[in-house]
Amino acid sequence: MMDSLFLSSLLNFLLGGLLGAMGGLFGIGGGLIAIPVLGYLYGMDQQLAQGTSLVMIVPNVVIAFWRYKQRNRIEWSSAAMMCVPAVITTYFSARVATSIDARSLHFCFAAFMGLLALYYLWTLLRNKRSAQTTIVLPRKYIFAVGMSAGASAGFFSVGGAIVAVPMLTAFFGATQTAAQGLGLAMVTPGTLVALWTYAQAGHVNWAVGIPMALGGVLSISWGVALAHHLPERRLRILFCGALLVLSLWMMIEG
């Protein structure tokens, strides 16, 4: 019994390590890939896969925020304007996600993953020299970023920062660095709220999630280091292609 438990924990630790390294390598995707993998390997329904993946996502988000905060200045007033609505929408969207039909949530997640892959492919492949029109909205509307990112984080358990960063750069004139800092400051409390909500609904497998989280924490820096030594743009294009394939597979299989 103890040997079986140890082997299971070790395999989950190694799986978390692989997913964490991939998240670091591609910049997006540790938790995004974990959800379909958990469904395939463990037969988890969509809610359980999303809740369990949050156990791995939370420490990575907290560590990323702490490291960013040590090296960069964060505009706390803007972060607070986004954080409060983000926490609220994260909670309510997570409540919806834990109560709806698992197959419907499965399809919605697959569609979200496909749209996300197409968006990133578009940003990578578009001509950088093409004329770009920047729409800069007043700062008072920045709460809408928090609402949108929180809804994504709660409903899909991933995507908070992925949604927030392009919105901040496209509509509020934020630099990429500033947008990443604001995104991390906003999603850190939101991911904790999402994990608590999924756990309250019984949609977290701690025996799988905790070893995966430990593996991910130890390996994500390796993925980031590797990304600096490989053709990152090509890797991201391949990663987006893999997301599209996974999205289609989930839709057909679901």
Side-chain angles (χ1 to χ4, degrees):
M1 181 67 178
M2 289 298 293
D3 289 343
S4 176
L5 181 61
F6 174 77
L7 180 60
S8 177
S9 297
L10 178 61
L11 290 174
N12 290 327
F13 174 83
L14 294 174
L15 177 61
L18 176 62
L19 293 170
M22 291 179 69
L25 178 63
F26 296 115
I28 58 171
L32 198 64
I33 293 178
I35 293 168
V37 167
L38 287 171
Y40 178 75
L41 292 180
Y42 294 98
M44 295 183 181
D45 64 25
Q46 189 67 25
Q47 282 100 337
L48 186 58
Q50 290 187 186
T52 303
S53 73
L54 279 165
V55 182
M56 185 184 78
I57 294 168
V58 165
N60 287 333
V61 169
V62 171
I63 291 170
F65 170 65
W66 180 253
R67 287 180 176 172
Y68 188 94
K69 181 176 172 293
Q70 288 178 320
R71 293 172 173 81
N72 301 275
R73 186 180 69 85
I74 294 174
E75 191 178 336
W76 291 108
S77 59
S78 295
M81 289 176 67
M82 292 192 302
C83 187
V84 174
V87 168
I88 294 170
T89 54
T90 295
Y91 172 73
F92 285 107
S93 60
R95 286 288 299 272
V96 172
T98 57
S99 63
I100 67 173
D101 175 64
R103 290 177 66 86
S104 298
L105 184 61
H106 179 92
F107 183 84
C108 289
F109 180 83
F112 171 74
M113 193 161 55
L115 289 172
L116 191 63
L118 289 172
Y119 169 76
Y120 273 93
L121 276 174
W122 175 72
T123 59
L124 287 166
L125 295 174
R126 67 180 174 175
N127 188 344
K128 293 182 179 179
R129 282 181 267 181
S130 62
Q132 297 180 20
T133 303
T134 302
I135 305 170
V136 181
L137 298 175
R139 182 170 169 267
K140 64 181 180 180
Y141 296 117
I142 204 168
F143 74 91
V145 177
M147 292 180 66
S148 302
S152 171
F155 197 73
F156 298 115
S157 81
V158 293
I162 294 171
V163 169
V165 172
M167 287 184 71
L168 288 168
T169 55
F171 300 118
F172 293 92
T175 64
Q176 185 69 21
T177 304
Q180 288 173 349
L182 287 171
L184 284 169
M186 178 200 65
V187 302
T188 299
T191 53
L192 292 168
V193 169
L195 176 58
W196 179 81
T197 307
Y198 276 83
Q200 287 290 105
H203 294 305
V204 175
N205 186 325
W206 297 100
V208 173
I210 290 175
M212 284 180 60
L214 293 173
V217 165
L218 293 176
S219 68
I220 192 168
S221 296
W222 300 346
V224 173
L226 184 60
H228 288 83
H229 294 87
L230 293 174
E232 185 181 359
R233 185 171 180 273
R234 187 178 303 170
L235 284 171
R236 284 181 178 243
I237 291 173
L238 290 173
F239 178 64
C240 289
L243 284 185
L244 282 173
V245 171
L246 275 173
S247 172
L248 291 172
W249 173 73
M250 287 181 72
M251 289 183 184
I252 295 169
E253 181 260 352

